[in-house]
Amino acid sequence: MWHNIAAFIIKFRIALLIILLASTGIMGYYASQIKISYEFTSAVPTDNPKYIDYQNFRKQFGEDGNLMVIGVQTNDFFNPAFFNDYAVMVKEVAAVKYVENVLSIPGAITLVKDTATEKLKATPIAPTLPVTNIDSFKSVFLNLPFYRGLIYNSATNSYLMAAGINKTVLNSKDRAAVIDNILAIGNAFGEKHHIEMHYSGLPLIRTEMALKVQSEMRLFLILSFVLTAVILVLFFRSLTAVLASMLVVAIGVVWSMGTIVILGYKITILTALIPPLVVVIGIPNCVYLLNRYHYEYYKNPNKMKSLLRMVDRMGIVTFFTNLTAAIGFGVFFFTKSVLLKEFGLVAGINILGLFFISLVFIPAFFSFLPPPNVRHTSYLESSWINKLLTRITNWVFSHRIWIYGFTILVCVLSVIGLTRLHNDAHIVDDLPQSDKIYMDLKFFESNFRGVMPLQIVIDTKKKNGIVSLDVLTKMDQLVRYLQQFPEIGRPLAISEGLKFANQAYFGGDSASYEVPGDMLQAAFVLPYLRTNKSDSNSTFSKLLNSYVDNTKQKARISVNMADIGSRRLPILLDKIRPEVYRLFDSTKYNITFTGTSITFLEGSKFIVHSLRDSLILAFLIIFSCMVAVFRSWRILLISIIVNIVPLLITAGLMGWMGIRIKPSTVLVFSVALGITIDVTIRFLVNFKQELSRHDDSIADTVHRTIHDTGLSIIYTSLILIAGFGVFILSQFDGTKSLGYLTSITLLLAMVTNLTLLPALLLWMDKVIEKKNNAATFLMGEDEDDVIKLND
């Protein structure tokens, strides 16, 4: 079949090249329209209960992750010059397009009882700017407990302002301009007063990470092209071979980006890895094909015949290596995570696409070029490679026991390392600790206990149930309970608004910042909570809209907390739940824990579990394919052992090195399996093809296969290791982990496929030989018995 395919490609090479180039032009048009995704919760499947809870919350109360915070730490905050410049900065931030509101000290309001109307009015503490009497402002402001711990921390002299950004723009490319404008205003203020500015909040974190992903995709593409080109030059010593390989992967990159757009997807932190992965995975195709072309031409200097034999001998190998790699990535499509589905589908399609691109382009392209000269094929006689392969062969044939023993020892140590692994992920997990975003997040955690949103929704199951004194008192008790935890910042709820109103009603005395203690007292204050939503002058209309639903049946307690990670967050929630359910009887109330922190936790857990399941599925599919190709349970067993060992060692190293299980590190195993199995298939297909030529002698065939495939296995492994190695330059720790852990796994796979695999094939030879000898012995005994009976 492959001979016919080779003849078809050579015969219709011009037409095939035209089709290939035209398809690339079309895909290039779509690739030019690619966009970046700013979504944050796409890791969670849409039918997940936590995802549904979060979407319901957003419909009722709005976006919880739309606040960007700006912080300063200074002893001179209430210095007139500093304070008034700070007030100007607040005003400028509020004027930025798509900024809907700003909570700040200069813009703080107080509630004052109007004796004429017996109503409370919200009035700014500073009616006009600049503030001339700072001491008076400071005295009034510090007498308002509502703001304490919310926008200032007197113990550390830290102050913040919070800018609410339109939720629609947060999911568009315009968000970058909004963030940049706010940063520019803040930085200008910081430079003027020689003070460090701190920025955080999910809008900033998401935007900065998305922009880093975009810039890194370009960087990795360039580096992967340059690095593989250099290695190819050193390997083939032919500019035409390098040019052909670069064209193959360039076409693959264009196709991959076009596929993303055609499928309606956008660039995410995962799909951004696909173009450089296409380069890394596509180059081995070219190496396998060109190495075989040069080898065939070296044996028989006939260009067209060598090209035909190249496709005939390597077509099946290249197809199955690409198929298994595509399966390794493609199984992600069968998860329920949108993020993984997109990555798996695009990667799987384009890895298979690389097979067709290389199979058509390489023979067609080289059919128009002069045949390779001696310099181009000299690498086939490389002395150091041949010496290395000879040494490996000697080790395999003479020291198999040492190979088995060392492998078992390393696997035992790896299993011990596995027991040290634990699952833990953070929202800014992939950022290095020296990054400005990470350091600023820790600033807010140190001074305000964090900025990550956690929401507790209380459903009273009846209209106007929230504005009853009993419910509000229970909410206040829960708020005070939450403040006991060092990981949780100042909670906000409608009960805090009631306490603010109560303080104002009793003349502004801070001692009255409390929920009314009895119905008589509450009768004076509670009417202020039952304001008409259409009344834009209502004191609490905005507060009610944000923290209570339209029917006043549900309310939320909004908490900003530290990024404590997916391991500690469930423990913290388990501590909170008993008190919540003690205060709010589950027979009378429905309580929901939601928010970005909960959604992230669920997404992190789901991705880890999905990657684990997809790895198992990949194993089953890939090894089912190998059974279909080799039709031998012994070959299957050997393949499983050879490919599990590198993955096991890598997992053990993670345990010993303290590397946590998180989505980016679990991804390594599925990626590595899909690629390392390629080397096994390359070796075994060659072994199967050579077996009949060596009179079914496994020992002779193993010897020949090591020398025939060793060169291409070493070079393709080095290319893959170097290709994944470029990810080490990433600003994201997760991408770094993907880079160096995958490189380690590929290096181990190269070693096991050149040593353990042939050693196990020789073991199989011994088993078959013993079985045959036993059968011969039994047949001999039967013959002796027959002779005796005849006598």
Side-chain angles (χ1 to χ4, degrees):
M1 180 185 75
W2 289 102
H3 182 80
N4 293 333
I5 292 174
F8 177 83
I9 291 171
I10 296 298
K11 182 177 180 180
F12 298 103
R13 59 189 183 276
I14 295 177
L16 290 172
L17 282 175
I18 292 172
I19 293 172
L20 183 63
L21 294 175
S23 302
T24 304
I26 294 170
M27 298 300 278
Y29 166 75
Y30 284 107
S32 66
Q33 302 176 37
I34 201 161
K35 297 177 181 178
I36 301 176
S37 171
Y38 297 97
E39 285 291 328
F40 193 70
T41 57
S42 56
V44 187
T46 54
D47 61 349
N48 185 284
K50 296 289 194 302
Y51 180 86
I52 294 171
D53 287 342
Y54 182 60
Q55 295 307 314
N56 289 335
F57 168 84
R58 293 172 68 183
K59 289 177 183 176
Q60 292 169 347
F61 300 102
E63 187 70 49
D64 77 324
N66 68 329
L67 287 181
M68 178 176 171
V69 293
I70 303 174
V72 296
Q73 189 171 28
T74 176
N75 295 327
D76 300 323
F77 186 84
F78 290 101
N79 176 285
F82 185 95
F83 183 87
N84 284 309
D85 282 349
Y86 186 90
V88 171
M89 178 182 69
V90 170
K91 189 175 181 181
E92 290 176 350
V93 169
V96 172
K97 189 177 181 181
Y98 299 117
V99 171
E100 296 182 329
N101 51 70
V102 175
L103 177 64
S104 68
I105 294 175
I109 64 167
T110 184
L111 299 179
V112 179
K113 184 169 69 172
D114 189 335
T115 54
T117 62
E118 288 297 316
K119 289 186 178 293
L120 297 180
K121 293 192 303 182
T123 60
I125 300 175
T128 59
L129 296 174
V131 178
T132 54
N133 191 343
I134 297 293
D135 291 336
S136 174
F137 177 95
K138 181 179 178 181
S139 176
V140 174
F141 176 76
L142 295 180
N143 190 50
L144 299 175
F146 180 83
Y147 297 107
R148 195 176 300 154
L150 184 64
I151 57 176
Y152 78 95
N153 183 342
S154 58
T156 61
N157 292 318
S158 301
Y159 307 87
L160 70 76
M161 58 178 286
I165 301 173
N166 180 276
K167 63 181 181 180
T168 303
V169 81
L170 287 178
N171 292 324
S172 73
K173 64 180 180 179
D174 293 332
R175 68 185 293 163
V178 176
I179 301 299
D180 287 344
N181 288 336
I182 295 174
L183 291 174
I185 294 168
N187 290 334
F189 174 81
E191 290 175 5
K192 180 177 180 180
H193 290 275
H194 307 289
I195 189 171
E196 183 179 4
M197 304 298 293
H198 302 277
Y199 308 95
S200 195
L202 288 178
L204 173 72
I205 293 171
R206 294 174 185 175
T207 302
E208 290 297 311
M209 290 184 73
L211 294 175
K212 288 178 188 289
V213 166
Q214 186 181 31
S215 63
E216 284 195 354
M217 186 179 74
R218 297 193 192 100
L219 173 65
F220 293 152
L221 261 179
I222 295 170
L223 286 178
S224 57
F225 267 104
V226 171
L227 195 58
T228 51
V230 170
I231 295 174
L232 288 171
V233 168
L234 295 174
F235 182 25
F236 291 118
R237 300 177 186 178
S238 166
L239 291 178
T240 53
V242 175
L243 176 63
S245 302
M246 291 295 101
L247 286 173
V248 166
V249 294
I251 292 170
V253 168
V254 172
W255 281 32
S256 67
M257 296 175 72
T259 304
I260 292 173
V261 177
I262 289 173
L263 293 174
Y265 301 156
K266 297 179 181 179
I267 290 291
T268 65
I269 194 168
L270 284 182
T271 53
L273 298 176
I274 293 176
L277 280 175
V278 164
V279 176
V280 174
I281 296 172
I283 289 296
N285 285 359
C286 304
V287 172
Y288 285 144
L289 292 170
L290 291 174
N291 176 233
R292 195 70 202 190
Y293 171 48
H294 290 160
Y295 177 77
E296 295 294 340
Y297 188 82
Y298 179 77
K299 289 198 309 181
N300 183 4
N302 183 312
K303 184 180 73 170
M304 299 308 290
K305 187 175 181 180
S306 297
L307 289 171
L308 286 169
R309 286 185 62 80
M310 173 190 75
V311 177
D312 187 22
R313 297 297 298 275
M314 295 306 300
I316 182 67
V317 176
T318 310
F319 173 72
F320 271 101
T321 54
N322 279 259
L323 177 62
T324 53
I327 291 170
F329 288 94
V331 289
F332 298 146
F333 177 72
F334 297 101
T335 68
K336 291 184 178 181
S337 168
V338 175
L339 199 66
L340 288 175
K341 273 180 175 289
E342 294 178 1
F343 177 68
L345 183 59
V346 175
I349 289 173
N350 285 281
I351 289 170
L352 281 177
L354 279 171
F355 164 72
F356 293 104
I357 294 168
S358 56
L359 194 70
V360 169
F361 188 82
I362 294 293
F365 182 77
F366 279 92
S367 69
F368 293 107
L369 298 178
N373 57 39
V374 176
R375 182 169 60 87
H376 298 154
T377 58
S378 61
Y379 69 90
L380 296 171
E381 297 178 332
S382 173
S383 58
W384 75 271
I385 283 287
N386 287 323
K387 286 179 182 177
L388 177 62
L389 294 176
T390 300
R391 185 169 294 181
I392 290 172
T393 304
N394 291 337
W395 258 94
V396 168
F397 278 84
S398 305
H399 303 285
R400 290 200 302 279
I401 300 300
W402 282 96
I403 293 173
Y404 298 150
F406 183 75
T407 302
I408 292 170
L409 175 62
V410 172
C411 287
V412 169
L413 293 173
S414 298
V415 170
I416 297 172
L418 272 174
T419 62
R420 301 164 65 94
L421 284 173
H422 65 271
N423 185 358
D424 193 17
H426 296 255
I427 292 180
V428 292
D429 211 13
D430 286 339
L431 289 174
Q433 295 185 6
S434 59
D435 190 274
K436 170 72 171 169
I437 295 174
Y438 182 90
M439 294 172 67
D440 282 352
L441 178 63
K442 295 306 169 186
F443 168 84
F444 288 104
E445 288 181 358
S446 299
N447 295 284
F448 299 96
R449 300 187 182 182
V451 294
M452 298 303 170
L454 171 67
Q455 309 290 342
I456 302 174
V457 179
I458 300 165
D459 182 1
T460 62
K461 300 182 181 180
K462 58 184 179 182
K463 190 175 181 180
N464 290 319
I466 286 297
V467 292
S468 74
L469 181 61
D470 180 54
V471 172
L472 291 167
T473 301
K474 289 179 177 179
M475 288 181 68
D476 182 55
Q477 291 174 3
L478 180 56
V479 165
R480 286 188 278 115
Y481 175 77
L482 292 174
Q483 288 182 286
Q484 298 175 11
F485 294 93
E487 305 92 342
I488 293 179
R490 167 71 185 280
L492 270 184
I494 190 65
S495 57
E496 295 299 297
L498 176 63
K499 289 156 70 175
F500 199 176
N502 194 65
Q503 178 186 356
Y505 191 82
F506 289 96
D509 183 4
S510 60
S512 298
Y513 186 77
E514 60 183 2
V515 174
D518 52 52
M519 287 304 298
L520 181 62
Q521 184 179 346
F524 290 100
V525 180
L526 280 174
Y528 300 121
L529 296 180
R530 300 190 178 98
T531 53
N532 187 344
K533 182 182 175 183
S534 62
D535 181 9
S536 59
N537 296 321
S538 171
T539 305
F540 292 104
S541 61
K542 292 182 179 179
L543 184 65
L544 286 173
N545 291 339
S546 298
Y547 289 88
V548 182
D549 74 335
N550 294 334
T551 63
K552 300 182 181 63
Q553 175 178 317
K554 299 178 182 179
R556 63 162 169 155
I557 297 176
S558 183
V559 174
N560 283 333
M561 61 181 297
D563 183 16
I564 59 176
S566 60
R567 192 180 187 189
R568 288 177 55 199
L569 183 56
I571 298 172
L572 177 64
L573 294 177
D574 287 341
K575 290 179 181 178
I576 293 172
R577 283 191 178 96
E579 180 66 13
V580 172
Y581 292 121
R582 185 189 68 81
L583 291 170
F584 297 96
D585 187 346
S586 59
T587 61
K588 298 179 181 179
Y589 304 93
N590 288 329
I591 306 297
T592 304
F593 290 82
T594 187
T596 304
S597 297
I598 299 289
T599 310
F600 167 78
L601 169 65
E602 192 68 16
S604 177
K605 286 196 308 184
F606 186 82
I607 287 178
V608 170
H609 293 159
S610 296
L611 289 171
R612 179 200 61 197
D613 296 342
S614 64
L615 180 62
I616 295 170
L617 180 61
F619 257 106
L620 294 174
I621 297 175
I622 289 172
F623 289 115
S624 296
C625 292
M626 296 193 72
V627 169
V629 174
F630 298 108
R631 302 181 186 278
S632 168
W633 69 267
R634 289 190 180 92
I635 291 290
L636 176 63
L637 178 62
I638 290 171
S639 301
I640 292 173
I641 293 171
V642 169
N643 284 279
I644 282 181
V645 168
L647 299 177
L648 181 62
I649 295 173
T650 301
L653 283 173
M654 287 173 58
W656 286 111
M657 295 169 65
I659 299 172
R660 293 172 284 112
I661 295 176
K662 53 185 179 179
S664 54
T665 53
V666 177
L667 182 65
V668 170
F669 298 101
S670 293
V671 172
L673 174 64
I675 297 173
T676 57
I677 195 71
D678 295 355
V679 182
T680 306
I681 292 173
R682 171 78 177 94
F683 192 100
L684 290 175
V685 168
N686 196 91
F687 172 81
K688 184 181 179 182
Q689 291 173 342
E690 293 291 335
L691 191 59
S692 60
R693 296 185 178 91
H694 291 84
D695 299 323
D696 291 332
S697 170
I698 291 178
D700 292 342
T701 307
V702 166
H703 188 283
R704 183 69 260 165
T705 303
I706 291 174
H707 281 268
D708 281 353
T709 63
L711 181 69
S712 59
I713 285 174
I714 290 172
Y715 271 105
T716 52
S717 296
L718 291 177
I719 289 170
L720 288 166
I721 291 167
F724 278 96
V726 301
F727 294 144
I728 296 173
L729 299 175
S730 172
Q731 300 177 69
F732 300 110
D733 284 347
T735 309
K736 284 182 182 179
S737 299
L738 177 66
Y740 69 76
L741 289 174
T742 306
S743 295
I744 290 171
T745 309
L746 294 174
L747 177 62
L748 293 168
M750 180 185 73
V751 174
T752 56
N753 277 284
L754 289 176
T755 55
L756 184 60
L757 175 57
L760 290 173
L761 288 172
L762 292 175
W763 161 79
M764 184 176 72
D765 185 28
K766 294 292 183 183
V767 171
I768 294 173
E769 185 180 341
K770 286 181 180 179
K771 187 176 180 181
N772 290 337
N773 289 339
T776 303
F777 175 74
L778 290 173
M779 288 177 65
E781 284 188 339
D782 291 342
E783 289 174 1
D784 290 342
D785 291 340
V786 171
I787 291 170
K788 288 177 181 178
L789 287 171
N790 290 337
D791 289 344

